[in-house]
């Protein structure tokens, strides 16, 4: 009898220990049929035009005394081909601790400015954050080797965070090379009822020898009037050795027109000073003798079939100035030419 009681006690203790920790599997499956026009017209099935397709593992363990251990492993998946991303957990791979002191995360993570830009305008192929090629939507969207501190809530609705990376990309050498690749950033975000606003900053020494720095600043504000939500934003970059600045600014209006149906429209301007500023999404040509610009017009219709599944349609048009060649969804577009894309798809979250 005594042995039975001890065995039951051991089982109960074991169950209690497991109850204090959990691992959640979740993800997004997003696919669409799109037609994108640049120098040529491309029609294809694409992945992740509304939201990044992914599969992720998120865990938390209650260590007692208000202290918890957390982790996130987040992998990109291409739904059109089934291929994984170039890096297995390229979206996120971090472990951390959270408690009364706030939260600390170690590993590959969203940059603070990248996370804010993604939340405000998006960083997918039809979104201003990606098309413009600003740092927060392109080369500094995420950081390797990052340390992030999220402060506890001092003021209701206010979130403060700071970030440091010993080398923001995998191309940074592991040897001691001074400040090469080191990155600093902070963000502040406030949300209270219909009002939200935020500010973020990043400073990154490039991963080449020498004191070459890239900096980015993002500010935004939004107000939900009920019948419509209006968002305005401004992002400016400064990159040593390439160009003096690149500015992205604009607004978005989201209107709920029926139960589960939201229409969103946006207009943005991108301006870049003279100099060669090639990014993975487009460039402002080195032949420029004055500020050149591009305009971006976006429309989105989303119909939520449930909390997890939505149908959507996207339309984006880019009009380039004489020395710019920005494009929708990465299609090749010559200077002074327009690019536009139309996508119709379905997004499911699990």
């Amino acid at each position: 009898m005594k042995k039975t009681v001890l065995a039951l006690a051991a089982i109960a203790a074991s169950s209690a220990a497991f109850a204090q920790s959990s691992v959640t599997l979740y993800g997004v499956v997003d696919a669409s049929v799109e037609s994108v026009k640049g120098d040529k017209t491309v029609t294809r099935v694409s992945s992740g035009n509304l939201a990044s397709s992914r599969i992720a593992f998120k865990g938390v363990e209650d260590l007692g005394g208000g202290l918890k251990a957390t982790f996130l492993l987040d992998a990109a998946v291409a739904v059109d081909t089934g291929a994984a991303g170039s890096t297995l957990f390229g979206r996120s791979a971090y472990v951390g601790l959270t408690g009364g002191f706030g939260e600390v995360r170690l590993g590959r993570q969203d940059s603070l400015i990248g996370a804010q830009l993604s939340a405000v305008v998006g960083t997918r192929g039809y979104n201003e954050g990606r098309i413009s090629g600003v740092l927060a939507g392109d080369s500094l969207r995420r950081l390797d080797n990052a340390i992030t501190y999220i402060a506890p809530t001092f003021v209701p609705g206010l979130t403060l965070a700071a970030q440091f990376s010993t080398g923001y990309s995998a191309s940074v050498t592991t040897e001691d090379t001074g400040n090469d690749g080191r990155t600093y950033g902070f963000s502040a975000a406030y949300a209270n009822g219909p009002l939200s606003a935020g500010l973020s900053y990043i400073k990154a020494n490039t991963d080449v020898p020498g004191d070459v720095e890239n900096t980015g600043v993002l500010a935004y504000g939004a107000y939900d009037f009920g019948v419509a939500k209006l968002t305005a934003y401004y992002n400016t970059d400064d990159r040593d050795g390439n160009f003096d600045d690149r500015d992205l600014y604009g607004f978005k209006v989201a209107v709920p027109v029926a139960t589960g149906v939201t229409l969103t429209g946006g207009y943005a301007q991108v301006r870049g000073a003279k100099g060669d500023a090639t990014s993975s999404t487009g460039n402002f040509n080195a032949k420029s003798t004055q500020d050149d610009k591009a305009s971006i017009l976006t429309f989105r219709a989303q119909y939520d079939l449930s909390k997890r599944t939505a149908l959507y349609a996207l339309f984006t048009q880019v009009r380039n100035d004489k020395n710019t060649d920005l494009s929708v969804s990465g299609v090749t577009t010559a200077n002074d030419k327009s690019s536009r894309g139309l996508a119709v798809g379905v997004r499911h979250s699990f």
Side-chain angles (χ1 to χ4, degrees):
M1 180 66 179
K2 187 175 181 180
K3 290 183 178 179
T4 302
V5 171
L6 291 174
L8 290 174
I11 293 173
S14 176
S15 298
F18 281 115
Q20 292 176 349
S21 63
S22 65
V23 176
T24 302
L25 169 67
Y26 70 94
V28 174
V29 183
D30 181 316
S32 60
V33 178
E34 67 174 352
S35 178
V36 187
K37 183 181 184 302
D39 293 340
K40 298 180 180 179
T41 299
V42 179
T43 302
R44 60 196 177 194
V45 174
S46 289
S47 174
N49 275 327
L50 181 65
S52 301
S53 297
R54 73 198 77 157
I55 185 168
F57 303 87
K58 183 177 183 179
V60 59
E61 181 185 12
D62 191 339
L63 301 174
L67 185 65
K68 295 180 181 180
T70 63
F71 77 86
L72 177 62
L73 299 173
D74 193 342
V77 178
V79 178
D80 53 333
T81 64
S86 57
T87 302
L88 178 56
F89 293 109
R91 290 179 47 82
S92 288
Y94 69 77
V95 64
L97 292 173
T98 181
F101 57 86
E103 183 176 3
V104 176
R105 299 172 179 174
L106 305 176
R108 179 171 172 82
Q109 306 164 54
D110 291 341
S111 67
L112 296 176
I113 191 173
Q116 279 198 351
L117 185 69
S118 180
V120 173
V121 298
T123 52
R124 307 304 304 149
Y126 282 69
N127 300 137
E128 301 91 330
R130 181 64 175 170
I131 292 170
S132 63
V134 294
L135 294 169
D138 191 34
S139 59
L140 297 181
R141 173 66 180 86
R142 294 181 174 86
L143 302 177
D144 291 340
N145 308 296
I147 305 168
T148 302
Y149 171 67
I150 303 172
T153 301
F154 299 112
V155 176
L158 180 63
T159 302
L160 301 174
Q163 196 169 55
F164 171 71
S165 171
T166 58
Y168 68 85
S169 74
S171 61
V172 177
T173 177
T174 55
E175 298 176 1
D176 184 5
T177 55
N179 289 328
D180 296 348
R182 292 187 179 179
T183 305
Y184 309 84
F186 72 83
S187 68
Y190 179 74
N192 184 7
L195 175 66
S196 59
L199 176 69
S200 52
Y201 170 83
I202 193 167
K203 175 183 176 182
N205 293 78
T206 63
D207 53 4
V208 296
D211 187 17
V212 182
E213 298 175 346
N214 294 335
T215 60
V217 178
L218 170 67
Y220 73 90
Y223 195 88
D224 192 340
F225 295 91
V227 295
K229 181 179 180 180
L230 176 63
T231 303
Y233 57 91
Y234 174 68
N235 184 103
T236 183
D237 288 348
D238 187 343
R239 307 186 199 185
D240 289 350
N242 285 323
F243 62 93
D244 292 332
D245 57 68
R246 176 170 296 188
D247 296 328
L248 168 67
Y249 53 90
F251 65 90
K252 281 184 174 293
V253 180
V255 181
V257 296
T259 303
V261 180
T262 303
L263 302 180
T264 304
Y267 178 78
Q269 284 271 339
V270 190
R271 293 181 180 272
K274 65 181 180 179
D276 183 11
T278 301
S279 78
S280 63
T281 52
N283 70 80
F284 283 70
N285 199 295
K287 296 179 182 179
S288 173
T289 57
Q290 58 183 356
D291 285 0
D292 286 311
K293 62 181 181 296
S295 61
I296 306 173
L297 188 66
T298 61
F299 292 98
R300 181 179 76 196
Q302 182 172 326
Y303 176 32
D304 294 325
L305 299 174
S306 69
K307 291 183 178 180
R308 294 186 174 186
T309 304
L311 302 177
Y312 65 86
L314 308 173
F315 175 79
T316 296
Q317 178 161 304
V318 179
R319 293 187 179 276
N320 290 301
D321 206 342
K322 62 180 180 179
N323 289 310
T324 62
D325 62 358
L326 304 184
S327 65
V328 180
S329 201
V331 299
T332 301
T333 304
N335 293 348
D336 199 26
K337 300 297 182 181
S338 295
S339 173
R340 62 178 179 269
L342 174 65
V344 178
V346 58
R347 184 226 65 212
H348 177 73
S349 302
F350 63 89

